[in-house]
Amino acid sequence: RLCQEEQVDFILAVGGGSVIDSSKAIGYGVANPWTDVWNFFLKTEVPKDCLPIAAIPTIAASGSEMSGSCVITNEDGWLKRGSTRSDLCRPRFALLNPRLTYTLPQYQTESGCVDILLHTMERYFVNLETMEITDSISESLMQTVIYNARILMKEPGNYNARAEVMWAGSLSHNGLTGAGRVSDFATHKIEHELGGMFDVTHGAGLAAVWGSWARYVYKTNPGRFAQFGEKVFGIDASQTSDSDITDTVLASIIAWETWCHSIDMPTTLTELGIYPTDAQIEEMAEKCVFGRNGHIGFFQPLTKEDIVAILQMAK
């Protein structure tokens, strides 16, 4: 309403992912006055235009400064939803200055690192043939974030580490690491419901859920998890046979969780500091599949019952 009254024709988002995503949603709302902007997040309608958006991120995390998507929460029912991906809302430019992230609390810095990794991992774990070059880009990006996240635990003012993580954040969510793939994003959708119901930081919530998701679905394609452990965490899978690949898979998941703990990130809901009741878990699972044909994800499609099981495991 303010943009319309002031005839605003350009929005500069200065802040984190929520600021950038809110700017995109506002841009959609102003440019498509013929409908309620929330319909674009329910995916019942498609936007035809968006105000030009630009971004100056102050945290390396969401990658929204280069992405064609955004996520907002509707406080009427506390539904957290992402818009249809479109270049209409992709920022026209982004100014990345690692020094703007120096004053972040350590918890936010490391939560951002997890978010960057998950943006890559949600595209990496696919149950189909993938492109070798895309795998190599993804694995290198993940290694870079893992390495520099540990540096930032001890040296929060390390410019090079901040710069590497910030650039990785942009590359993780601009489509590059998803080239030739169908992205999964089940962990993100589950965490979105955590974020909608509880006051949790997005990256920390992802860290608390991913291990349980991985243990629940890995049998769909254990070789993918073994490759992840070998290429990203250096686990020796050279002698792994089909009969004992489970050991390599579980070692890969444990390596991820060990890294999370090394940067003070949680790997369970209890460590995250929330204790959802069975009724709350049912509600989150119901909201997760609402309007999504009863399931989420592509690596292994998950029903409401699957999501309940994963959240119960994550306790």
Side-chain angles (χ1 to χ4, degrees):
R1 200 157 50 235
L2 178 63
C3 286
Q4 290 168 338
E5 290 171 359
E6 300 295 331
Q7 297 184 316
V8 168
D9 59 7
F10 167 79
I11 300 176
L12 177 63
V14 183
S18 295
V19 172
I20 301 170
D21 284 6
S22 294
S23 297
K24 292 178 178 180
I26 292 167
Y28 274 146
V30 174
N32 300 275
W34 46 271
T35 188
D36 185 336
V37 70
W38 183 244
N39 290 335
F40 302 143
F41 296 83
L42 292 177
K43 296 184 172 65
T44 57
E45 295 189 87
V46 178
K48 298 177 181 179
D49 202 356
C50 184
L51 288 187
I53 309 293
I56 302 178
T58 57
I59 179 173
S62 72
S64 189
E65 67 274 4
M66 284 184 72
S67 81
S69 63
C70 62
V71 176
I72 62 172
T73 299
N74 189 335
E75 295 179 357
D76 182 10
W78 294 104
L79 287 171
K80 193 170 183 179
R81 288 288 185 270
S83 66
T84 301
R85 294 185 180 277
S86 170
D87 284 339
L88 291 172
C89 75
R90 197 184 297 272
R92 304 299 178 91
F93 66 84
L95 304 180
L96 306 183
N97 182 352
R99 290 186 174 85
L100 296 181
T101 69
Y102 279 6
T103 56
L104 285 169
Q106 187 179 72
Y107 187 79
Q108 292 293 337
T109 294
E110 302 301 344
S111 292
C113 291
V114 174
D115 195 14
I116 294 167
L117 272 187
L118 258 295
H119 283 153
T120 308
M121 291 160 66
E122 298 274 31
R123 294 172 168 94
Y124 184 81
F125 285 96
V126 291
N127 189 25
L128 44 80
E129 269 192 60
T130 187
M131 300 196 311
E132 184 177 340
I133 185 64
T134 306
D135 274 355
S136 298
I137 292 170
S138 299
E139 288 156 1
S140 177
L141 191 153
M142 288 187 281
Q143 288 173 338
T144 297
V145 175
I146 287 166
Y147 175 75
N148 285 286
R150 288 189 176 124
I151 291 176
L152 291 175
M153 283 292 292
K154 299 177 180 178
E155 304 174 41
N158 187 308
Y159 178 88
N160 288 335
R162 292 271 180 192
E164 295 286 358
V165 168
M166 182 168 253
W167 186 222
S170 295
L171 297 182
S172 73
H173 208 36
N174 70 353
L176 176 65
T177 60
R181 297 174 173 165
V182 178
S183 302
D184 186 73
F185 276 88
T187 301
H188 263 75
K189 289 181 173 64
I190 294 171
E191 195 288 325
H192 283 166
E193 302 313 324
L194 280 175
M197 183 174 288
F198 301 97
D199 184 19
V200 300
T201 300
H202 179 54
L206 292 171
V209 170
W210 187 83
S212 295
W213 171 85
R215 288 182 175 87
Y216 192 83
V217 306
Y218 78 83
K219 292 181 181 178
T220 298
N221 188 347
R224 198 68 184 154
F225 282 88
Q227 180 177 328
F228 172 70
E230 181 179 26
K231 299 293 187 179
V232 178
F233 287 102
I235 295 171
D236 185 5
S238 60
Q239 305 302 316
T240 300
S241 64
D242 290 340
S243 60
D244 63 6
I245 194 172
T246 298
D247 292 338
T248 303
V249 170
L250 294 179
S252 302
I253 298 170
I254 291 170
W256 151 265
E257 292 175 331
T258 300
W259 173 75
C260 285
H261 286 148
S262 76
I263 60 170
D264 291 344
M265 285 288 105
T267 58
T268 66
L269 299 183
T270 299
E271 291 177 4
L272 183 60
I274 63 173
Y275 309 90
T277 64
D278 290 347
Q280 287 174 321
I281 285 177
E282 285 279 337
E283 181 182 345
M284 285 189 284
E286 178 64 36
K287 287 180 177 179
C288 209
V289 299
F290 175 75
R292 292 172 171 147
N293 297 319
H295 71 273
I296 60 170
F298 293 94
F299 182 82
Q300 177 183 316
L302 303 174
T303 64
K304 174 186 172 182
E305 290 70 28
D306 294 322
I307 296 164
V308 167
I310 291 170
L311 285 169
Q312 290 287 1
M313 288 173 63
K315 282 185 172 181

